[in-house]
Amino acid sequence: MDVFSRTFLPAAAETGLATQTVTRHMPVFRRCVGSGDATILVTRCSRPDHPVGGEYLMLLTHRRLVVTRQTRVLHRLRLHLNTELRELSNVTWSPDPRAHSLELAATAIDGVRERFLIRTHHPKQVWQLDALLNHAFRTRLRTPAERLVATIGDSPAAARPAGLQPAPAR
């Protein structure tokens, strides 16, 4: 069994998703996510700007964000969003423990601003979601400049970050 399969089902069970729902969406997720990518979160969500658009299911892995949509009348599955996390910009989320919800917003590579509302059963789950999103978007993703340690041909002083430069002698 691959990493995605091992982590997908426990993540779905943790949010209380029905097995039937997970089974319906699994083939779409499988086409979008690699077998070596671990699942962080699988949850139902809605779009606050499109309240009658159908039912959405969000999958967050260490590398990708995939959102599927099931239409209300015919129950057809559609891929709504499939993107790598590094291709998302201006990712924000706002937890609201009083309303038992968290709103996630991000701008996709095509410039479209996507907003999703995730509802929970308990305020404690809101803070768990906040920690998961913080781990996925803030601690794991760094710009290429932040990952750069040194380039070939740089002097040792140029390879150090600006805050670690020695103070000039007087």
Side-chain angles (χ1 to χ4, degrees):
M1 189 181 282
D2 61 1
V3 175
F4 175 69
S5 298
R6 275 196 322 261
T7 57
F8 180 77
L9 294 175
E14 190 174 306
T15 56
L17 288 173
T19 307
Q20 182 181 10
T21 303
V22 172
T23 309
R24 274 186 62 84
H25 291 261
M26 181 68 154
V28 178
F29 289 142
R30 172 66 69 192
R31 284 192 304 266
C32 298
V33 177
S35 61
D37 205 2
T39 303
I40 297 174
L41 173 69
V42 181
T43 187
R44 289 184 193 278
C45 61
S46 61
R47 296 192 58 209
D49 43 349
H50 300 290
V52 290
E55 180 179 296
Y56 293 84
L57 198 65
M58 178 185 292
L59 168 69
L60 178 66
T61 70
H62 289 291
R63 294 185 193 116
R64 299 194 79 76
L65 176 66
V66 182
V67 180
T68 57
R69 181 180 139 226
Q70 182 173 330
T71 60
R72 289 185 188 262
V73 179
L74 299 176
H75 302 287
R76 291 189 180 162
L77 288 178
R78 303 266 191 246
L79 183 61
H80 176 75
L81 179 66
N82 177 20
T83 185
E84 289 190 29
L85 297 183
R86 62 187 168 96
E87 293 175 346
L88 294 172
S89 62
N90 197 16
V91 179
T92 59
W93 61 91
S94 54
D96 187 358
R98 286 179 278 141
H100 304 278
S101 65
L102 180 138
E103 185 175 334
L104 172 67
T107 304
I109 198 165
D110 59 359
V112 175
R113 185 79 176 157
E114 299 283 354
R115 292 177 49 219
F116 300 102
L117 185 66
I118 303 169
R119 297 198 183 279
T120 64
H121 299 291
H122 194 273
K124 187 177 183 180
Q125 291 172 320
V126 173
W127 298 118
Q128 290 171 340
L129 278 174
D130 181 52
L132 285 173
L133 294 175
N134 188 43
H135 175 72
F137 290 107
R138 294 215 173 108
T139 59
R140 294 189 54 85
L141 295 179
R142 292 180 182 85
T143 61
E146 290 176 359
R147 283 186 245 152
L148 182 66
V149 177
T151 56
I152 297 174
D154 281 348
S155 65
R160 288 188 217 139
L164 299 177
Q165 298 291 340
R170 292 185 185 215

